[in-house]
Amino acid sequence: YRTNKPVMISPEVIDDNTYLKKAKLNAQEIKKNFTSIQTKGLPSPIIVKIKKDHYEVILGRKRLLAAKLYKLEAIPCFIIDVSEEEILLILAADIRDSKLTNMVELSTVCSRLSQYYGYSQNDLAKLLRVSRPQITNVIRLTNLPDDILLDVSLGKLSFGHAKTLIALPEEMIYQVVRKIYDNNLSVRQTE
């Protein structure tokens, strides 16, 4: 099933992307960047798939969150029917082409493609146009505790900071993060 033209759907019946739930979005940033949404509507349709009696967002998470924050009654959506692997590849391409990459999203997508679909780190590096060591670091992010991943998602901790934490035992991760926040440490100082 696929729509050729956007259909209007209530944001309330569109769920977050199953694979990207750990990658939280900053509501304040969304509100700031989508101030015209109330008067002009969404700048472009989002892409969703049917999920039982709801829909699930594939592309356009930020626009969906903005629509929910501003309580829009309906938003334009393209409905597509794709497999899990296709969804992950669509997300990988979107993240690759995005100017503001959420590293937790990228980590989740790469980990899932590797774990469930056999993509090697070299395959992922070619797909995303980055180095293989970069993919190694990206995938290792998923080993961090969820609350630390939340801070990386929201931009409180940088990817560079997160990379320095990956090899540490969990109790030490929290000690170092506290020091990063208390002393406003750079990545180099954290290392």
Side-chain angles (χ1 to χ4, degrees):
Y1 181 77
R2 180 183 221 107
T3 54
N4 293 326
K5 294 182 179 179
V7 293
M8 299 303 284
I9 300 174
S10 167
E12 296 310 311
V13 297
I14 304 173
D15 299 328
D16 194 5
N17 185 287
T18 301
Y19 312 111
L20 301 182
K21 285 183 179 179
K22 276 189 178 180
K24 298 297 180 196
L25 299 171
N26 185 324
Q28 267 49 52
E29 280 294 309
I30 299 293
K31 218 166 191 171
K32 184 175 83 176
N33 291 323
F34 286 92
T35 52
S36 66
I37 202 169
Q38 283 181 301
T39 54
K40 296 181 182 174
L42 282 183
S44 59
I46 67 169
I47 299 174
V48 300
K49 73 176 211 159
I50 296 173
K51 186 179 178 184
K52 297 183 184 172
D53 59 342
H54 270 235
Y55 298 89
E56 180 179 328
V57 65
I58 295 174
L59 292 179
R61 290 178 77 217
K62 290 177 184 171
R63 287 172 279 157
L64 175 62
L65 179 57
K68 288 183 177 192
L69 284 171
Y70 286 108
K71 298 181 181 359
L72 298 184
E73 288 182 28
I75 57 174
C77 301
F78 284 111
I79 302 169
I80 63 173
D81 183 22
V82 288
S83 70
E84 178 178 317
E85 183 179 4
E86 289 170 319
I87 290 171
L88 292 167
L89 291 170
I90 290 168
L91 291 170
D94 185 59
I95 292 167
R96 177 195 64 211
D97 297 340
S98 171
K99 289 182 179 85
L100 301 171
T101 301
N102 182 317
M103 296 309 281
V104 177
E105 285 183 352
L106 184 58
S107 177
T108 303
V109 168
C110 287
S111 296
R112 194 139 186 115
L113 283 168
S114 174
Q115 188 176 3
Y116 292 96
Y117 297 100
Y119 285 75
S120 70
Q121 291 186 7
N122 283 332
D123 295 336
L124 293 168
K126 287 177 190 168
L127 177 70
L128 296 166
R129 300 181 196 134
V130 297
S131 69
R132 194 207 46 76
Q134 175 83 348
I135 293 296
T136 302
N137 286 324
V138 164
I139 289 175
R140 290 175 59 215
L141 268 186
T142 58
N143 297 328
L144 290 172
D146 286 350
D147 49 343
I148 302 300
L149 286 176
L150 175 64
D151 285 359
V152 176
S153 285
L154 297 176
K156 293 179 183 177
L157 274 177
S158 73
F159 176 58
H161 285 107
K163 282 194 309 188
T164 64
L165 300 171
I166 292 170
L168 300 175
E170 191 168 318
E171 62 278 353
M172 190 177 274
I173 288 173
Y174 288 105
Q175 291 172 9
V176 173
V177 167
R178 221 176 352 269
K179 286 182 181 182
I180 291 170
Y181 290 148
D182 291 346
N183 301 308
N184 199 23
L185 298 178
S186 69
V187 173
R188 177 137 347 257
Q189 291 168 321
T190 303
E191 290 169 347

